[in-house]
Amino acid sequence: MFSSSIIRGATVLKVSESTPRTVSRQALRVQAATTKDVSAVDYAKTLPGVSAPFPDVFDPLGCLNNAIVPEVRRWREAELTHGRVSMLAALGIVVGEQLEDFPLFYNFDGRISGPAINQFQQVGQGFWEPLVLVIGICETYRVAVGWASPATNFNQLKDDYDIGNLQFDPLGLCPTDPDELYELKTKELNNGRLAMISVAGFVAQEFVNNTEIFQHLFRYLEEEIILEIDDIELEIGAKTITAVPQIVLEELGKVAQ
């Protein structure tokens, strides 16, 4: 429960302590869609995604200070879309690198192998054409559902569009309870944010040493274990010290391959 007030000319919209949080959020979102009196900051506080360790809106650069509600809605749509793509990408990088030889995948001729950053260039003809077609159909549907006509509202979402809701729920997992739905949307956003950071880290790491993600992890653990063994050997005065294998150093980028 919380209390808030929005000034609209001479009137004041107040949400009392006894009003459910979900009702107050929905009321403010509806009001924001039909009036310009709601600030971008107040509107952003009603959206899913506000969670610990930032109990308030996380905006260190102050992007909301000079923004308007339609811009915030467009930013949230972009964040959701990129988060969803990044979750698929993170899964694809991990699965693609581990199952690159599995016959179920598009790898019947053995061309696709190695780090994910190099697999893009290895895909042969006959894959990209249908992929581009499918992406085009999906994006066309998304634009038709959520985006206003550019003739009247260029680069803006429809006022009645529920951000991110493309009416796609084939398994019927979307809850009907507003509070549960709000919580689920927050989880989706947080996982999408983590996925965006993860994919950036995956790509950067593979550019550094051209090694698959899990292969790099296991080589790093192998090096750490050997170094721990070396410390024990030094403590007991062993005559020989276990050396880190050359291939481990090469794949970690510590020596030239």
Side-chain angles (χ1 to χ4, degrees):
M1 306 294 178
F2 73 102
S3 175
S4 63
S5 62
I6 308 295
I7 299 177
R8 297 183 58 188
T11 62
V12 178
L13 171 64
K14 292 187 177 181
V15 180
S16 66
E17 293 289 343
S18 60
T19 305
R21 291 179 60 189
T22 304
V23 174
S24 62
R25 294 191 197 105
Q26 290 176 340
L28 186 55
R29 285 198 289 269
V30 170
Q31 180 186 359
T34 57
T35 180
K36 297 181 180 179
D37 293 335
V38 178
S39 71
V41 175
D42 288 334
Y43 177 71
K45 290 179 181 179
T46 70
L47 297 176
V50 180
S51 57
F54 307 105
D56 208 342
V57 175
F58 181 71
D59 183 28
L61 299 180
C63 296
L64 294 173
N65 295 339
N66 299 317
I68 58 176
V69 170
E71 289 178 329
V72 178
R73 286 170 54 79
R74 190 174 71 247
W75 295 344
R76 172 49 57 87
E77 176 74 7
E79 181 183 24
L80 261 175
T81 302
H82 285 86
R84 290 167 175 172
V85 171
S86 294
M87 286 188 279
L88 290 173
L91 180 64
I93 288 174
V94 173
V95 172
E97 290 183 345
Q98 302 309 309
L99 301 178
E100 58 192 19
D101 296 324
F102 192 67
L104 178 63
F105 293 89
Y106 187 80
N107 192 27
F108 55 87
D109 56 0
R111 287 178 302 183
I112 304 173
S113 62
I117 58 171
N118 298 328
Q119 293 180 0
F120 180 92
Q121 301 91 319
Q122 297 172 13
V123 179
Q125 187 176 4
F127 174 80
W128 296 115
E129 295 83 354
L131 177 63
V132 170
L133 178 61
V134 171
I135 293 175
I137 293 173
C138 292
E139 281 299 283
T140 300
Y141 173 75
R142 188 173 72 90
V143 170
V145 171
W147 290 82
S149 171
T152 55
N153 290 299
F154 180 73
N155 200 26
Q156 299 293 339
L157 298 176
K158 295 178 180 178
D159 291 340
D160 59 349
Y161 172 56
D162 182 16
I163 305 173
N165 184 4
L166 301 177
Q167 304 298 324
F168 179 76
D169 184 25
L171 299 180
L173 300 177
C174 184
T176 56
D177 180 74
D179 284 326
E180 292 182 7
L181 181 59
Y182 181 89
E183 187 68 22
L184 188 65
K185 288 182 177 181
T186 297
K187 291 178 180 179
E188 180 187 24
L189 278 163
N190 286 338
N191 281 285
R193 291 160 179 167
L194 178 61
M196 287 187 276
I197 297 173
S198 299
V199 170
F202 288 169
V203 173
Q205 184 60 61
E206 291 192 352
F207 268 120
V208 169
N209 52 28
N210 200 38
T211 303
E212 297 179 8
I213 293 299
F214 277 113
Q215 186 177 355
H216 176 272
L217 173 63
F218 295 144
R219 291 305 190 190
Y220 175 80
L221 293 175
E222 184 178 355
E223 181 191 32
E224 287 298 309
I225 292 172
I226 293 175
L227 291 177
E228 288 294 329
I229 294 174
D230 290 347
D231 291 338
I232 296 175
E233 290 172 338
L234 290 173
E235 288 289 335
I236 63 176
K239 295 182 179 180
T240 59
I241 304 299
T242 303
V244 179
Q246 182 73 9
I247 189 174
V248 174
L249 298 176
E250 290 177 355
E251 292 185 355
L252 290 176
K254 296 189 175 182
V255 296
Q257 298 187 19

